[in-house]
């Protein structure tokens, strides 16, 4: 009996070792990314620099990624600087999608502090032909607001799509279908603008800052900016006098301002010229109320077209 018991115990111990060994092999396989569903279902963590990039990326990627935007809602992006916690978050991210063309003056400093092997960066405007402001304002330079031309927005969406496909080829068909759907909507938006502009009797607009070069270039309009490329710059008294004289000469019905900057200067010019004020949105950022209302690139651009019709027809 003792021999039988000893044999039985040894057999049980050997069985336990075999089972444990099999478990160890499976654990090793899972750690290499070829095992459990939790590994294969891993989503990319993608950060975007400014709200247009967030909106475009969301349209392409949907729920296939974890998407976060750096600039908080209600913040004017030209004034924003990343905090140490923002940089720490980026160090854990897989991808950073940014506009480029000078929209993110903080970018080089941030990227120099992050291991480039761990964070893939995507410059969405890289293939867009950049424009300089030429409206006579003192603060000239490259206009980074390329997305305000729907055809440039399509280029940026294409760059985002291509980057996601290269990093996450398993979802290639999903990304490409979303891009094609949005590209068709951008073509439709472009046609809406062209049809409307053909009916305009005026071509001149006075805007809060130099954000509308691409919109104006695409549709034959002329912007005169109260302030420079950065929305927080202040116009001189001489510049204010020039704009008042211009608005009177052109008999402009509206002076445009933006949601994320103070409307006081625009209101002053409007009072001097007898014009009304209205929002022309450069879609640089979002507001909490806009997000709750579901405002996106397409709805904002159609809101802009509506006020342009009121001002220029």
């Amino acid at each position: 009996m003792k021999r039988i018991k000893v044999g039985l115990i040894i057999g049980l111990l050997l069985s336990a070792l075999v089972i444990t060994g099999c478990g160890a092999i499976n654990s090793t396989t899972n750690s290499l990314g070829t095992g459990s569903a939790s590994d294969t279902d891993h989503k990319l963590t993608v950060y975007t620099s400014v709200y247009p990039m967030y909106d475009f990326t969301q349209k392409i990627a949907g729920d296939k990624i974890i998407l976060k935007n750096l600039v908080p809602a209600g913040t004017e992006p030209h004034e924003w600087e990343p905090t140490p916690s923002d940089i720490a978050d980026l160090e854990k991210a897989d991808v950073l999608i940014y506009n480029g063309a000078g929209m993110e003056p903080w970018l080089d400093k941030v990227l120099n502090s992050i291991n480039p092997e761990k964070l893939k960066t995507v410059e969405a405007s890289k293939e867009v032909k950049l424009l300089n402001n030429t409206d006579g304002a003192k603060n000239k330079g490259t206009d980074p607001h390329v997305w305000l031309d729907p055809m440039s927005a399509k280029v940026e969406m294409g760059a985002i799509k291509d980057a996601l496909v290269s990093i996450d080829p398993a979802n290639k068909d999903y990304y490409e279908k979303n891009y094609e759907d949005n590209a068709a909507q951008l073509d439709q938006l472009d046609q809406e603008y062209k049809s409307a502009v053909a009916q305009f009797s005026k071509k001149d607009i006075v805007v809060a800052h130099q954000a509308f070069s691409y919109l104006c270039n695409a549709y034959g309009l002329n912007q005169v900016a109260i302030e420079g490329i950065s929305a927080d710059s202040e116009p001189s008294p001489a510049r204010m006098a020039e704009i008042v004289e211009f608005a009177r000469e052109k008999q402009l019905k509206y002076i445009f301002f933006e949601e994320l900057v103070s409307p006081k200067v625009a209101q002053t010019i409007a009072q001097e010229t007898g014009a009304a004020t209205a929002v022309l949105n450069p879609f640089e950022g979002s507001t909490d109320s806009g997000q709750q209302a579901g405002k996106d690139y397409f709805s904002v651009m159609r809101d802009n077209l509506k006020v342009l019709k009121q001002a220029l027809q």
Side-chain angles (χ1 to χ4, degrees):
M1 287 293 292
K2 288 183 180 179
R3 288 180 180 179
I4 294 173
K5 287 183 179 179
V6 171
L8 179 61
I9 291 170
I10 292 172
L12 290 172
L13 287 172
L14 288 172
S15 297
L17 287 171
V18 169
I19 292 170
T20 304
C22 290
I25 292 172
N26 285 336
S27 296
T28 303
T29 303
N30 290 344
S31 71
L32 294 174
T34 59
S36 70
S38 62
D39 288 329
T40 57
D41 289 346
H42 170 71
K43 292 182 179 181
L44 294 172
T45 297
V46 179
Y47 274 80
T48 52
S49 60
V50 288
Y51 194 70
M53 300 301 100
Y54 176 88
D55 186 62
F56 291 175
T57 304
Q58 189 174 54
K59 290 182 184 333
I60 302 300
D63 62 359
K64 300 299 183 184
I65 64 173
I66 299 168
L67 180 62
K68 300 179 181 181
N69 193 48
L70 286 169
V71 180
T75 302
E76 211 293 317
H78 294 285
E79 302 172 356
W80 182 83
E81 288 283 341
T83 65
S85 64
D86 292 322
I87 297 173
D89 288 339
L90 280 177
E91 289 175 340
K92 303 171 187 176
D94 298 302
V95 185
L96 171 64
I97 297 172
Y98 64 97
N99 181 75
M103 188 68 198
E104 302 93 351
W106 45 265
L107 184 69
D108 288 344
K109 181 179 178 181
V110 169
L111 293 184
N112 287 338
S113 67
I114 297 175
N115 185 345
E117 294 181 359
K118 294 183 178 180
L119 181 69
K120 181 175 178 60
T121 58
V122 181
E123 182 181 4
S125 70
K126 187 174 182 179
E127 299 302 321
V128 176
K129 182 180 179 181
L130 301 180
L131 298 176
N132 291 324
N133 288 293
T134 57
D135 76 345
K138 297 293 185 182
N139 188 3
K140 295 182 181 179
T142 300
D143 185 347
H145 307 82
V146 301
W147 57 85
L148 291 175
D149 172 4
M151 295 298 94
S152 295
K154 185 159 71 169
V155 173
E156 293 203 296
M157 279 197 196
I160 293 168
K161 179 263 296 179
D162 290 344
L164 290 173
V165 167
S166 70
I167 301 166
D168 183 23
N171 289 308
K172 176 178 181 289
D173 292 344
Y174 180 85
Y175 298 142
E176 290 188 343
K177 183 181 185 304
N178 284 347
Y179 168 74
E180 293 299 333
D181 290 346
N182 281 279
Q185 292 185 58
L186 289 165
D187 290 339
Q188 174 61 35
L189 180 65
D190 179 55
Q191 288 303 314
E192 291 175 24
Y193 265 82
K194 287 177 178 176
S195 297
V197 169
Q199 306 300 317
F200 289 175
S201 61
K202 298 178 183 293
K203 301 293 185 182
D204 299 296
I205 55 175
V206 171
V207 297
H209 84 290
Q210 293 174 324
F212 298 93
S213 299
Y214 298 89
L215 179 74
C216 291
N217 182 69
Y219 304 113
L221 303 178
N222 174 49
Q223 74 168 341
V224 173
I226 296 171
E227 302 172 19
I229 293 171
S230 176
D232 61 348
S233 59
E234 292 291 335
S236 66
R239 180 62 177 166
M240 287 281 286
E242 288 175 7
I243 295 171
V244 167
E245 182 180 354
F246 178 84
R248 285 173 175 164
E249 178 187 342
K250 299 294 184 178
Q251 298 180 335
L252 299 184
K253 295 185 288 185
Y254 285 89
I255 306 298
F256 292 114
F257 67 97
E258 301 168 18
E259 285 184 327
L260 297 179
V261 297
S262 171
K264 290 181 179 180
V265 176
Q267 290 170 345
T268 299
I269 294 172
Q271 290 171 0
E272 289 288 326
T273 61
T277 59
V279 171
L280 192 65
N281 191 341
F283 198 60
E284 290 180 325
S286 66
T287 61
D288 289 330
S289 60
Q291 288 182 351
Q292 291 170 4
K295 291 288 187 182
D296 71 344
Y297 176 81
F298 293 109
S299 63
V300 167
M301 289 295 286
R302 288 190 170 98
D303 288 344
N304 285 345
L305 182 56
K306 183 178 179 180
V307 296
L308 287 172
K309 287 178 180 178
Q310 294 171 354
L312 301 177
Q313 278 185 343

